[in-house]
Amino acid sequence: EAQLLASARQEALNQQGLSSEDVDEVFGLEKNTPHLLNMSDDPVLSGCLVYFLPKGQLTKLGSHPENQIVIKGLGISDFVCHFQNPDQRQVVISVPANEVSERARVLVNGQLLKPDEQRRLKHFDRLLFGRAWMMRLVVPLEQQDLAANKSLSNHSDSDSSEAAAPPVLKKRSMLKHDTMKLILNDESEAWSELRLYLGDLWERLGEERGNQFFYYVSKAAYLVDEANDITKEIRPEDRLKFEVELVWDIHRHVSDIIIIRITQWSADGSEASVLSYWTVDSFKQRLEMMRDCYDTFCSKGRWNGKGDPLEDPWLDPSTVE
């Protein structure tokens, strides 16, 4: 995967009459400067954005325009984290508690970074910022070392199997649920609420259907967390909460076992009433509208569609007279 990504980037540069060395020179960077590449569900969009981490400089990331890397979106505060690159090989990410807000959210290969935590990153590590940005770290010198080691290994033992190769050279799994593990963590409220039921349901479904179910339910949990974050930002006074609920019918398709429940809590937080149930597909459509509402809220500082059957995605159309 790493070789494919690197070759695709190089081909795109060549089509523009540029080389990696040309890019480094244009931006006044040393050769082999580590950088971040955006990741996307659309392969055409992956790797289109490049954020360099210059040697000897502190690179800050967040939504504030004074940051060296400026990104915006759900879960992106003014300042999220910073990077240090002392020697073109070591890249360290940190989340200083005195500079970040509670909204700051950074995951490295699925593990949430805590305030004041520092971590040495490796080539091809995957980073998630807030709920809007996933990037991959590229460390060219480390990538060259890995390629050289692989070439040496293949030359010394051409008959060796993949299982016998050093762990660092093993291919990363591309299974869908592995990707979901990267964006779900112990802080996921929707996921933690489901753990008590997953073991029993997994045994009923069997391994093959259980794997499919894990992907669908983990994705639903991640989307529910996103919907709850948007709701807290735009309309906290309504005390609305989305939750994943499971229908105990193992004869259904695994995706149909999952439904989304929306509840409204009392002012003192002691009681909750169910407002409606949505299928996952219906919920996804409403979530797309919520994202548009959030964009409007961020750009204009307000959102005026509350209560409008055509503009309010939190409002269940079936309940509107």
Side-chain angles (χ1 to χ4, degrees):
E1 184 184 1
Q3 293 178 348
L4 289 174
L5 185 62
S7 61
R9 176 174 178 266
Q10 188 61 50
E11 182 180 354
L13 292 173
N14 291 339
Q15 289 177 355
Q16 300 298 323
L18 297 172
S19 65
S20 295
E21 290 76 11
D22 294 328
V23 173
D24 293 338
E25 183 177 353
V26 167
F27 288 98
L29 300 168
E30 290 189 21
K31 186 178 179 181
N32 295 319
T33 296
H35 50 275
L36 300 170
L37 294 177
N38 73 300
M39 298 177 64
S40 172
D41 291 336
D42 187 343
V44 176
L45 299 179
S46 288
C48 290
L49 301 177
V50 183
Y51 300 93
F52 290 98
L53 308 174
K55 177 182 176 182
Q57 297 183 23
L58 185 68
T59 303
K60 296 185 178 182
L61 179 147
S63 61
H64 196 281
E66 292 184 0
N67 289 304
Q68 287 73 32
I69 300 178
V70 179
I71 59 176
K72 297 183 179 181
L74 185 63
I76 305 296
S77 57
D78 286 347
F79 177 76
V80 175
C81 64
H82 68 221
F83 298 89
Q84 292 175 298
N85 165 27
D87 57 7
Q88 301 288 70
R89 285 184 179 273
Q90 301 182 66
V91 177
V92 178
I93 185 173
S94 57
V95 184
N98 62 332
E99 298 184 45
V100 304
S101 72
E102 295 181 355
R103 293 179 55 213
R105 182 173 182 269
V106 183
L107 278 71
V108 178
N109 296 327
Q111 295 183 343
L112 185 70
L113 287 187
K114 299 178 181 179
D116 283 333
E117 181 177 356
Q118 290 189 347
R119 184 173 301 183
R120 164 85 181 273
L121 300 177
K122 297 180 181 180
H123 172 65
F124 237 45
D125 276 350
R126 284 171 277 194
L127 297 92
L128 180 67
F129 304 105
R131 297 192 180 278
W133 289 85
M134 181 176 283
M135 300 187 191
R136 192 187 297 278
L137 174 68
V138 177
V139 184
L141 291 178
E142 190 175 346
Q143 184 178 22
Q144 293 167 21
D145 291 344
L146 292 174
N149 291 338
K150 185 174 182 179
S151 177
L152 181 62
S153 175
N154 290 339
H155 179 72
S156 61
D157 189 3
S158 59
D159 295 329
S160 63
S161 65
E162 181 182 340
V168 74
L169 299 178
K170 287 184 178 180
K171 294 181 179 178
R172 294 178 185 257
S173 173
M174 294 301 291
L175 293 176
K176 290 181 178 180
H177 63 259
D178 284 344
T179 301
M180 294 310 304
K181 289 179 182 178
L182 294 174
I183 58 180
L184 280 169
N185 61 89
D186 292 337
E187 302 298 320
S188 170
E189 184 176 357
W191 181 249
S192 62
E193 292 173 348
L194 291 170
R195 286 179 175 172
L196 294 175
Y197 311 101
L198 294 180
D200 181 56
L201 189 55
W202 184 284
E203 293 181 357
R204 298 188 187 188
L205 292 173
E207 183 176 356
E208 182 176 353
R209 295 185 70 206
N211 278 318
Q212 295 178 349
F213 171 74
F214 175 88
Y215 169 69
Y216 284 113
V217 74
S218 57
K219 186 172 183 179
Y222 177 75
L223 296 178
V224 161
D225 284 335
E226 180 183 359
N228 283 328
D229 283 353
I230 294 175
T231 303
K232 291 175 184 177
E233 288 274 344
I234 295 182
R235 48 197 305 171
E237 70 282 355
D238 292 330
R239 304 178 301 279
L240 301 176
K241 182 181 179 181
F242 293 92
E243 297 171 311
V244 179
E245 187 165 306
L246 305 179
V247 178
W248 295 93
D249 184 353
I250 63 173
H251 299 294
R252 294 186 178 208
H253 186 272
V254 288
S255 61
D256 296 330
I257 296 175
I258 307 162
I259 58 175
I260 308 301
R261 176 178 61 202
I262 181 170
T263 59
Q264 185 172 41
W265 288 80
S266 60
D268 60 4
S270 61
E271 297 181 355
S273 57
V274 178
L275 299 183
S276 57
Y277 290 94
W278 295 343
T279 65
V280 174
D281 286 340
S282 177
F283 169 68
K284 288 179 180 179
Q285 294 175 4
R286 311 303 288 181
L287 179 57
E288 285 293 334
M289 294 178 64
M290 292 179 200
R291 290 167 177 161
D292 292 337
C293 297
Y294 180 78
D295 289 341
T296 301
F297 178 80
C298 290
S299 61
K300 297 183 179 180
R302 65 184 186 281
W303 172 70
N304 299 323
K306 182 177 177 179
D308 187 329
L310 299 179
E311 300 291 335
D312 190 342
W314 287 267
L315 193 62
D316 190 342
S318 64
T319 63
V320 179
E321 294 182 359

